[in-house]
Amino acid sequence: MSIKTYLTIISIIGLGFGIGDLLIPDRVGAIYGMSASPSSELMARFFGVALLAWALIAWFAKDFHDEADLRQILAPSAVAHSAGVVVAAFGTVSGVMNAMGWTVALIFLFGAVGNFYFLTASLHHRLVHT
């Protein structure tokens, strides 16, 4: 998979969840077994805004050609995705989310693995071909 394909996929996932959390947070929360309240819906909307921003950054980064620029996107995304795996797993294990929470953990895991892969692939390429 190319980095352009990876960033396109991760952008589409982020846009889908971001729009869902922003526009219909009660329905999205219900899928994951979360109870709706005005405060939880507001937090979901804030999360949706953050997902939209992150998805748009990844979308525009897919056309970057400079490795340094890509690293500036991939490194913080790797940290955030890794934290997302932990939060989603904790939320599912603790019962805040139902078993569907594992899908969120898997999406974050896909993001973390992809970011770390593309961060280290160029380093590996340089080490092998020098």
Side-chain angles (χ1 to χ4, degrees), residues 13-97:
I13 292 169
L15 284 171
F17 277 92
I19 291 169
D21 284 339
L22 185 61
L23 299 179
I24 52 171
D26 54 334
R27 292 185 189 155
V28 173
I31 293 169
Y32 295 98
M34 300 170 65
S35 56
S37 71
S39 58
S40 67
E41 289 182 19
L42 179 62
M43 289 306 296
R45 289 181 199 276
F46 280 131
F47 182 58
V49 170
L51 281 175
L52 284 174
W54 162 72
L56 291 171
I57 290 168
W59 178 262
F60 288 105
K62 72 181 175 42
D63 295 321
F64 289 178
H65 297 288
D66 183 20
E67 183 180 341
D69 292 340
L70 283 168
R71 293 181 71 76
Q72 296 298 317
I73 299 297
L74 294 173
S77 292
V79 173
H81 281 106
S82 298
V85 172
V86 173
V87 171
F90 178 76
T92 305
V93 170
S94 69
V96 174
M97 291 191 292

